[in-house]
Amino acid sequence: MPPIQLDLTVPKSLSAAVEERIRDAIVNAELAFGQALPEDGVGLAMGVSRTPMREALTRLQAQGLVVIVPKKGTFVFDPSPDDVDQLAAFRLMLESEAVRLGLAVAPEAALAGLRAAQGAMEQARRSGDGRAYARADTVFHASFFHHCGNAYLAKAYESIAWQVAALRAHLSVPRLHEQDTSFAEHAAMIGHFAAGEAEALLAILGRHILRSAAVYREAIRVRGA
Amino acid sequence: MPPIQLDLTVPKSLSAAVEERIRDAIVNAELAFGQALPEDGVGLAMGVSRTPMREALTRLQAQGLVVIVPKKGTFVFDPSPDDVDQLAAFRLMLESEAVRLGLAVAPEAALAGLRAAQGAMEQARRSGDGRAYARADTVFHASFFHHCGNAYLAKAYESIAWQVAALRAHLSVPRLHEQDTSFAEHAAMIGHFAAGEAEALLAILGRHILRSAAVYREAIRVRGA
DNA sequence: ATATTGTACCTTGGATACAATAGAAGGATC
DNA sequence: GATCCTTCTATTGTATCCAAGGTACAATAT
């Protein structure tokens, strides 16, 4: 007899719910960079008290999404152009390693994840849903880490992935040309991954990441001026 | 008239103090792997209430030093042999990149840090202070990150450095031969760093890290049996 | 007019009380 | 004697209260 499998939505704690909600708000650009987040502001609006709110903010700080200034308050992170560059460089390092490990450890599983994400991206593109495209983009890159076999590497990526997603949401200029280039690059990466051609893949990945970083840096520079 | 400049030691928050204290206890092997840390246990012994204790534990979880199980309790992290391997592989990746960046960005400053740490190691070795040697060892490796010019890379290292230190303290067999090998390797790394010989340095670094990982893995395997 | 000071208000830091849940112990029943 | 059910305890999750630090603005003295 096959084992019974039931889906059970575990009642997540309030602090976890608040954390997710605020994170969504940040990565979906509902909250502006630098926006203040008083503990009794957002929390009371959701009907929770300051305690779970504080926990949520503490964890969000660990994810780099908010900055807590002692005795002053908590604010949505506000990256400088230099931050964007450093973030991209770090991301490129992590993702390159994840690609190499994934090819060595579980190429089939990783490839399946990549193709699923690509399918979602294609669908989003056809329906013109920019937000869905961005989500699928996030899933695509996360696939490398889900199958790299190193939990620490994956955790490190998690610690910056949300910041990257937030940058995408805040600063992406919805130019169709950009999306075309991006989509083509993803397809090319899948091809190289399937063929086991690590170096060719990494070359595209590097261009891919550094180009988007340049876009974000410019957007921040202009906005800051 | 020049502006008045006075040093004032800012009293750190209770939660920060508790966090440091518990972290010290873990990395100095005062607490065993898997040891339970109820919120009202350690906290009350230090005269603080559960609130700062909870905050401290939350942050320690982000540093990988404790594991919080919902509704069950908080426990000192308890790495498996596989964890040790993954941790070492991740650490090697981070540190290799830090070395490359350090050589490119601020070689003099990094070199000064390395030499200072080496001095401390030598002194600790002469006085036979194993704990001081371990601390200096930690400082040595941290030097690469303090001068790599990438805050995200440095932060990622921080998120695992304490775990590495804890492994050292819990599992290091104080064999003099090991310390001799370690000391010689550090010296060789400084030499290669000063000469700008990245590849030679990285070769030693790889051996250095993977060898200690092998020691820790074996120690955990034996203890677990 | 300007610099300083007093003050009100806002925000976080910490403590305590209460609610909810998981796990263990113990007893009753078959 | 084993098993199931109950109860009890230990621990975390959440709410609320008080204290302390920080900011901004108005009042005041020079």
Side-chain angles (χ1 to χ4, degrees):
Chain A
M1 191 164 69
I4 302 175
Q5 186 85 24
L6 286 180
D7 283 349
L8 174 59
T9 46
V10 184
K12 44 193 163 209
S13 69
L14 277 184
S15 61
V18 172
E19 178 190 348
E20 284 186 28
R21 182 66 192 88
I22 298 178
R23 182 167 54 217
D24 275 3
I26 295 177
V27 306
N28 288 329
E30 298 171 37
L31 295 170
F33 290 145
Q35 168 80 246
L37 295 173
E39 292 175 358
D40 54 0
V42 188
L44 291 191
M46 299 169 63
V48 304
S49 78
R50 283 181 52 213
T51 307
M53 182 69 179
R54 278 180 70 81
E55 277 209 30
L57 291 178
T58 301
R59 287 202 288 256
L60 288 169
Q61 184 185 33
Q63 297 165 17
L65 289 179
V66 305
V67 178
I68 300 179
V69 184
K71 300 285 183 186
K72 281 203 54 180
T74 305
F75 307 87
V76 177
F77 83 121
D78 190 4
S80 69
D82 194 47
D83 289 335
V84 171
D85 286 338
Q86 293 185 18
L87 182 61
F90 183 60
R91 178 189 167 196
L92 180 54
M93 177 190 65
L94 291 184
E95 204 154 335
S96 298
E97 185 72 8
V99 166
R100 291 193 201 94
L101 288 177
L103 275 172
V105 168
E108 317 81 9
L111 193 56
L114 296 175
R115 287 199 165 125
Q118 189 193 32
M121 287 169 85
E122 192 160 4
Q123 188 175 346
R125 206 158 77 109
R126 268 204 295 266
S127 59
D129 186 342
R131 184 158 297 176
Y133 186 88
R135 269 201 303 272
D137 194 345
T138 298
V139 172
F140 182 94
H141 290 278
S143 296
F144 291 127
F145 294 90
H146 285 153
H147 304 92
C148 73
N150 190 311
Y152 297 89
L153 182 59
K155 194 174 146 211
Y157 182 67
E158 268 181 39
S159 78
I160 62 161
W162 294 116
Q163 294 179 65
V164 174
L167 285 171
R168 248 201 298 268
H170 279 79
L171 302 174
S172 272
V173 248
R175 281 183 294 173
L176 284 185
H177 176 64
E178 272 296 310
Q179 211 183 63
D180 285 345
T181 308
S182 161
F183 190 79
E185 283 175 340
H186 284 111
M189 284 192 266
I190 288 185
H192 288 305
F193 194 93
E197 298 163 356
E199 291 313 313
L201 198 172
L202 294 182
I204 297 176
L205 184 65
R207 279 208 307 274
H208 184 73
I209 291 179
L210 296 179
R211 181 165 42 75
S212 57
V215 173
Y216 303 152
R217 172 168 19 90
E218 186 61 16
I220 287 181
R221 198 186 59 72
V222 172
R223 188 206 53 175
Chain B
M1 192 165 67
I4 301 175
Q5 185 86 25
L6 285 179
D7 283 350
L8 174 60
T9 48
V10 184
K12 45 191 161 210
S13 70
L14 277 185
S15 62
V18 172
E19 178 189 348
E20 284 186 28
R21 181 67 192 88
I22 298 178
R23 183 168 53 216
D24 276 2
I26 295 177
V27 305
N28 288 328
E30 296 172 40
L31 295 170
F33 290 146
Q35 170 79 247
L37 295 174
E39 290 175 1
D40 53 0
V42 190
L44 291 192
M46 300 168 62
V48 305
S49 79
R50 285 180 50 211
T51 307
M53 181 68 179
R54 277 179 71 82
E55 275 208 34
L57 291 178
T58 301
R59 287 201 288 253
L60 288 169
Q61 184 183 36
Q63 298 165 17
L65 289 179
V66 305
V67 178
I68 299 179
V69 185
K71 300 287 183 184
K72 280 204 57 179
T74 304
F75 307 88
V76 177
F77 82 121
D78 189 3
S80 70
D82 195 47
D83 288 334
V84 171
D85 286 338
Q86 292 184 20
L87 183 59
F90 183 59
R91 179 190 166 195
L92 179 55
M93 177 190 64
L94 292 183
E95 203 154 334
S96 298
E97 185 73 9
V99 166
R100 291 193 201 94
L101 289 177
L103 274 172
V105 169
E108 317 80 11
L111 193 56
L114 295 175
R115 288 199 165 125
Q118 191 193 31
M121 287 169 87
E122 193 161 5
Q123 188 175 344
R125 206 159 78 111
R126 270 204 294 267
S127 58
D129 186 343
R131 186 159 297 177
Y133 186 87
R135 270 200 303 271
D137 193 345
T138 297
V139 172
F140 182 94
H141 291 278
S143 294
F144 291 127
F145 294 91
H146 285 154
H147 304 93
C148 72
N150 189 311
Y152 297 90
L153 182 59
K155 192 173 149 214
Y157 183 68
E158 268 181 39
S159 79
I160 63 161
W162 294 115
Q163 293 179 67
V164 174
L167 287 171
R168 249 201 298 268
H170 279 79
L171 302 173
S172 273
V173 248
R175 282 182 294 174
L176 285 185
H177 176 65
E178 272 295 311
Q179 211 184 61
D180 285 345
T181 308
S182 161
F183 190 79
E185 283 174 341
H186 284 112
M189 283 191 268
I190 288 184
H192 287 305
F193 194 94
E197 298 161 357
E199 291 313 314
L201 198 170
L202 294 181
I204 297 176
L205 183 65
R207 278 208 306 275
H208 185 74
I209 290 179
L210 297 179
R211 180 165 43 75
S212 58
V215 173
Y216 302 152
R217 172 170 16 92
E218 185 63 15
I220 287 181
R221 199 185 59 73
V222 171
R223 189 208 52 172

